[in-house]
Amino acid sequence: MSRISHINLDDAGLPPPTPEIEQERKVAVFDLLEDNTFVIPSRDDRPVPQGPYHLGLSIRDKRLVFEVETEQAEKAAEFHLSLGPFRQVVKDYFQICESYFDAVKKLPPSQIETIDMARRGIHNEGSRVLQERLEGKAEIDIDTARRLFTLICVLHFGG
């Protein structure tokens, strides 16, 4: 039961997302809740509350905050990550997504596919950065990292 069963994005105070960003968010949340791996390793011989977990994601004081609770609202973990390592990859991701959304409206499939491959490459890079930043705090698989990276981008969009 080491998985996320509920996710809450704290987007209070952020500008409303574009329809494309809102769609990315909905798909990421749906896919994440359908299939994910989220393991909190034990530290200092302290037992880790068992999942499934409720995850709260927010940006506070220029830090990405993960608040993890059990389904009984028992605090399981909280970690704060610097946004610095994410800045460039998030910026690149938004630029390529904008190109992709424009391309879908007016370019032939072969050109759309090329842009989509670049978009996936940048997305994979963001996922890798997230996995590295969570090392020792939470173990996640690549698909979970990809979906969480999308949600980080959604939070960055307004930040």
Side-chain angles (χ1 to χ4, degrees):
M1 297 303 289
S2 295
R3 60 183 220 78
I4 299 166
S5 64
H6 177 82
I7 189 147
N8 180 49
L9 288 182
D10 182 1
D11 57 2
L14 299 179
T18 64
E20 293 88 357
I21 297 297
E22 182 61 24
Q23 181 62 22
E24 291 272 318
R25 172 186 175 156
K26 286 179 181 176
V27 169
V29 168
F30 178 84
D31 289 347
L32 182 68
L33 295 178
E34 283 293 305
D35 182 33
N36 69 79
T37 301
F38 193 88
V39 177
I40 299 173
S42 61
R43 285 188 245 157
D44 303 326
D45 298 324
R46 287 181 288 162
V48 176
Q50 292 298 305
Y53 302 108
H54 290 201
L55 175 63
L57 277 179
S58 62
I59 294 180
R60 285 187 290 201
D61 301 322
K62 298 184 181 183
R63 298 186 70 79
L64 177 62
V65 179
F66 284 71
E67 295 176 283
V68 186
E69 295 182 343
T70 66
E71 290 196 318
Q72 294 75 35
E74 176 187 353
K75 187 171 186 159
E78 180 173 314
F79 20 94
H80 299 236
L81 306 177
S82 170
L83 289 172
F86 294 100
R87 280 200 179 91
Q88 188 61 51
V89 72
V90 168
K91 180 180 177 184
D92 293 346
Y93 185 67
F94 273 118
Q95 287 176 337
I96 197 77
C97 281
E98 191 173 310
S99 296
Y100 175 78
F101 295 140
D102 288 343
V104 167
K105 297 173 189 170
K106 57 188 172 195
L107 294 179
S110 62
Q111 289 178 303
I112 294 169
E113 186 176 324
T114 300
I115 295 169
D116 190 45
M117 285 174 53
R119 181 175 74 117
R120 280 183 273 158
I122 294 169
H123 200 255
N124 286 340
E125 175 63 15
S127 303
R128 184 192 60 74
V129 170
L130 179 59
Q131 283 181 304
E132 286 176 1
R133 303 298 299 152
L134 287 176
E135 192 170 319
K137 297 170 180 64
E139 298 166 15
I140 56 177
D141 63 9
I142 189 64
D143 289 333
T144 302
R146 288 177 57 78
R147 293 163 185 144
L148 287 172
F149 177 72
T150 299
L151 297 177
I152 292 166
C153 287
V154 168
L155 288 174
H156 252 281
F157 173 75

